[in-house]
Amino acid sequence: MNREEEIKKRRTFAIISHPDAGKTTITEQLLKFGGAIREAGTVKARKTGNFAKSDWMDIEKERGISVTSSVMQFDYAGKRVNILDTPGHEDFSEDTYRTLMAVDAAVMVIDSAKGIEAQTKKLFQVVKHRNIPVFTFINKLDRDGREPLDLLSELEEILGIQSVPMNWPIGMGKNFQGLYDMRHQRVEVYQPVGDERFVDFAEIEHHPLAQNPFYAQALEDAELLQDAGNEFDEAAIIAGQLTPVFFGSALTSFGVQTFLETFLQYAPEPHAHKTVDDTEIEPFNPDFSGFVFKIQANMDPRHRDRIAFVRIVSGEFERGMSVKLLRTGKEVKLSNVTQFMAETRENVENAVAGDIIGVYDTGTYQVGDTLASRLKTAFEPLPTFTPELFMRVQAKNVMKQKSFHKGIEQLVQEGAIQLYTNYTTGDIMLGAVGQLQFEVFKDRMEREYNAEIVMTPMGNKTVRWIKPEDLDEKMSSSRNILARDRFDHPLFLFENDFAMRWFKDKYPDVELMEQFSV
């Protein structure tokens, strides 16, 4: 098979949802169908030690939440599938935003009892902004939930996207009977007797389900949707204007296989990515190019390693090839490269546009880096968030300074937490978008680096950078702390908007910047 045919087989997508909508559970079921894992261990099964395969970090296993983006790959129905399981917790939205830059489609998981929740809405806006096609899976049909028609209305009213149901629930909760599948002209029976999981529409009148009042209701709804609903339009789906909606139960693995097969049929191939000079790099361009969208330390605690996740944009990766790191202009050799099934990984000899590879990193890479064999301009920068919550941090044991500093350096490079140093005292300060990031940081410092830390809350601060030539230590006060970021750029941490206005009035010639720019 030639390179172009290989690229056309790729389907790379992220799964997005509000916490607890069942995102990790559906990921597991997809991996199970792909043969990547033998059993799907639900996130709830903590007592059995049967943890979610895609949640590999200890804190994720204990709490049953995803706080990092896992990358998993498997083959199914002639396609090479790359799934990115993103953090559902809102404190980790920065990691999720970056992950969404590395995919060609998104699967939105919605809890049928709760509908559209805050985090789903927030993530959907990013997806919409990028015109990424969205496929919707309405989950937990094995429990009582809201009326399906209400859920469709909410999709259109709250998210502003048109929807087209691919199947329709027959009852729900204790009365859940199955799915009326308009796309495949069949009924998928829940907990069937024998092998009659699928019954064609032509045969259904001979089936006991045809006499069920919930079937009659589903039939009525389906006819209403056919007359008044949106028509299936593949071009509108690819343009991100129409979302196909599937119903099912990830926990009981019902409706998931039908979803996967239909998704792979209509999900897009790898797409072009823009460079900073607005040039589009097509996946079929023979020259290798890609960008680092995530860095993760200690995926294998035994080896204290660090992996830079790279989305291949164009061409083909071959093990041992040399490419240029555009930020530094230096050549790097890609010899130690892996692909993932959650925490298990395999060395990879070659990969093509659309694939996600993990490059072993000794401190060379940063999030947002472009790697290319011939490309001269970098890809568009990835989104960054200025932190609002701050902590002063120090080592509990002064004898553990080495592991303390190593831990901070590596975890900060992942981009989930920001590092600042007080200009006058040298105190280390950390900034984050939400409180959970500090808890995960503390936990990982202790588990992975054996460094106990003391964290002192500093409350909310507003960060503003200044030009190095404007730097004057006399400007610093308790209300506006002078500090430097991890790249040694000078900045102020303002106590509040009043303190920032006071500073502007006192130093009108000093430009305050939301992002550092030369």
Side-chain angles (χ1 to χ4, degrees):
M1 193 178 289
N2 65 29
R3 185 197 301 125
E4 198 160 313
E5 287 170 341
E6 277 291 341
I7 292 170
K8 284 181 175 177
K9 279 172 58 180
R10 284 355 188 220
R11 296 294 181 273
T12 303
F13 65 97
I15 302 184
I16 61 172
S17 78
H18 195 81
D20 259 355
K23 179 173 51 62
T24 303
T25 310
I26 194 171
T27 304
E28 297 237 305
Q29 296 295 356
L30 294 173
L31 292 171
K32 190 179 168 189
F33 287 121
I37 54 176
R38 281 184 293 279
E39 57 172 315
T42 162
V43 203
K44 301 289 180 200
R46 293 178 204 155
K47 286 180 184 167
T48 63
N50 190 14
F51 299 116
K53 299 290 185 293
S54 59
D55 286 351
W56 57 268
M57 202 185 284
D58 285 339
I59 194 166
E60 295 184 311
K61 291 173 182 174
E62 284 171 10
R63 296 191 185 198
I65 55 167
S66 303
V67 292
T68 57
S69 301
S70 300
V71 178
M72 289 144 284
Q73 187 181 71
F74 63 88
D75 291 324
Y76 189 86
K79 302 284 192 288
R80 171 64 57 90
V81 182
N82 294 294
I83 304 181
L84 282 76
D85 176 26
T86 60
H89 198 284
E90 63 183 344
D91 287 358
F92 287 83
S93 57
E94 187 164 345
D95 195 16
T96 307
Y97 277 62
R98 292 189 194 130
T99 298
L100 290 173
M101 304 298 281
V103 299
D104 302 307
V107 171
M108 180 165 62
V109 180
I110 292 169
D111 184 331
S112 65
K114 295 175 181 171
I116 308 292
E117 297 174 88
Q119 184 69 356
T120 317
K121 189 177 175 185
K122 200 171 166 185
L123 294 169
F124 178 78
Q125 296 309 325
V126 185
V127 169
K128 194 175 181 183
H129 178 68
R130 285 202 57 222
N131 299 320
I132 300 173
V134 184
F135 293 74
T136 301
F137 186 86
I138 296 182
N139 192 22
K140 304 189 181 180
L141 265 287
D142 55 316
R143 303 181 193 176
D144 287 323
R146 290 166 50 188
E147 283 296 323
L149 285 168
D150 289 349
L151 292 167
L152 284 196
S153 300
E154 203 172 68
L155 268 178
E156 302 192 5
E157 286 164 19
I158 295 180
L159 300 184
I161 188 168
Q162 300 292 305
S163 63
V164 56
M166 307 296 274
N167 54 26
W168 200 252
I170 303 169
M172 64 171 60
K174 287 176 184 168
N175 299 312
F176 187 43
Q177 307 295 318
L179 295 168
Y180 187 86
D181 188 340
M182 293 88 83
R183 192 76 203 148
H184 297 97
Q185 298 286 293
R186 67 189 184 189
V187 169
E188 190 168 349
V189 183
Y190 188 59
Q191 296 175 335
V193 179
D195 294 329
E196 52 174 20
R197 183 176 146 205
F198 297 110
V199 183
D200 288 341
F201 282 175
E203 308 287 321
I204 194 69
E205 61 188 58
H206 308 300
H207 194 279
L209 193 60
Q211 312 309 317
N212 190 299
F214 294 105
Y215 176 76
Q217 180 61 54
L219 200 60
E220 198 179 301
D221 287 349
E223 284 169 4
L224 174 70
L225 289 163
Q226 193 171 351
D227 293 340
N230 295 309
E231 281 187 22
F232 182 86
D233 181 343
E234 199 172 340
I237 292 167
I238 295 297
Q241 294 159 358
L242 181 71
T243 179
V245 178
F246 301 80
F247 290 85
S249 163
L251 191 63
T252 60
S253 190
F254 187 74
V256 179
Q257 189 169 7
T258 298
F259 162 74
L260 174 62
E261 289 170 3
T262 316
F263 169 80
L264 292 179
Q265 192 179 344
Y266 296 110
E269 299 168 4
H271 70 284
H273 281 254
K274 278 187 180 177
T275 61
V276 286
D277 65 1
D278 232 21
T279 306
E280 291 216 327
I281 306 299
E282 295 291 339
F284 303 121
N285 183 320
D287 299 323
F288 171 86
S289 69
F291 61 88
V292 177
F293 65 92
K294 175 186 175 62
I295 290 174
Q296 185 72 53
N298 304 325
M299 287 192 73
D300 184 347
R302 292 166 302 180
H303 297 139
R304 288 281 175 268
D305 62 350
R306 205 168 68 162
I307 300 289
F309 289 85
V310 176
R311 156 73 193 231
I312 302 177
V313 173
S314 66
E316 184 173 3
F317 157 81
E318 289 179 342
R319 191 175 178 184
M321 74 188 296
S322 289
V323 296
K324 193 167 271 188
L325 175 57
L326 265 58
R327 174 175 48 83
T328 62
K330 289 180 181 171
E331 265 201 6
V332 288
K333 192 172 183 181
L334 303 179
S335 47
N336 197 346
V337 175
T338 56
Q339 282 179 326
F340 300 87
M341 201 335 279
E343 76 271 35
T344 59
R345 33 172 133 159
E346 296 172 6
N347 279 332
V348 60
E349 295 298 324
N350 67 318
V352 298
D355 281 334
I356 307 291
I357 56 173
V359 180
Y360 187 76
D361 180 23
T362 53
T364 307
Y365 305 106
Q366 291 176 15
V367 170
D369 275 347
T370 296
L371 299 169
S373 55
R374 297 181 70 175
L375 188 67
K376 298 287 189 286
T377 49
F379 290 109
E380 288 181 317
L382 300 183
T384 55
F385 290 72
T386 305
E388 292 166 9
L389 286 175
F390 289 82
M391 290 267 189
R392 200 174 278 107
V393 61
Q394 59 194 89
K396 199 170 187 178
N397 182 349
V398 288
M399 305 300 287
K400 293 275 181 82
Q401 288 289 348
K402 191 177 176 185
S403 50
F404 169 74
H405 286 290
K406 184 184 179 184
I408 284 182
E409 182 192 355
Q410 292 204 351
L411 295 182
V412 161
Q413 281 171 342
E414 290 184 14
I417 208 153
Q418 305 292 333
L419 171 70
Y420 303 96
T421 310
N422 189 304
Y423 218 89
T424 46
T425 66
D427 285 353
I428 291 174
M429 301 171 288
L430 297 178
V433 177
Q435 182 63 33
L436 182 65
Q437 284 168 279
F438 292 128
E439 292 172 32
V440 172
F441 174 81
K442 188 174 192 292
D443 183 86
R444 291 186 66 190
M445 284 291 284
E446 290 171 9
R447 286 186 206 257
E448 297 173 20
Y449 298 95
N450 196 23
E452 285 191 70
I453 58 172
V454 178
M455 299 177 90
T456 312
M458 296 171 66
N460 285 49
K461 304 281 179 199
T462 304
V463 186
R464 289 294 181 269
W465 279 261
I466 61 168
K467 291 177 178 170
E469 58 267 28
D470 290 336
L471 180 63
D472 183 349
E473 289 184 43
K474 295 191 192 80
M475 294 177 183
S476 186
S477 74
S478 58
R479 284 183 165 182
N480 50 285
I481 301 166
L482 180 60
R484 57 177 183 267
D485 63 18
R486 71 185 178 105
F487 304 109
D488 273 345
H489 300 143
L491 56 93
F492 281 105
L493 301 179
F494 289 100
E495 189 175 56
N496 50 33
D497 286 346
F498 173 79
M500 192 157 65
R501 283 197 302 272
W502 180 87
F503 182 92
K504 284 179 178 175
D505 289 342
K506 191 170 182 185
Y507 304 106
D509 296 334
V510 176
E511 185 188 353
L512 297 176
M513 301 176 286
E514 289 187 30
Q515 297 282 344
F516 183 82
S517 59
V518 181

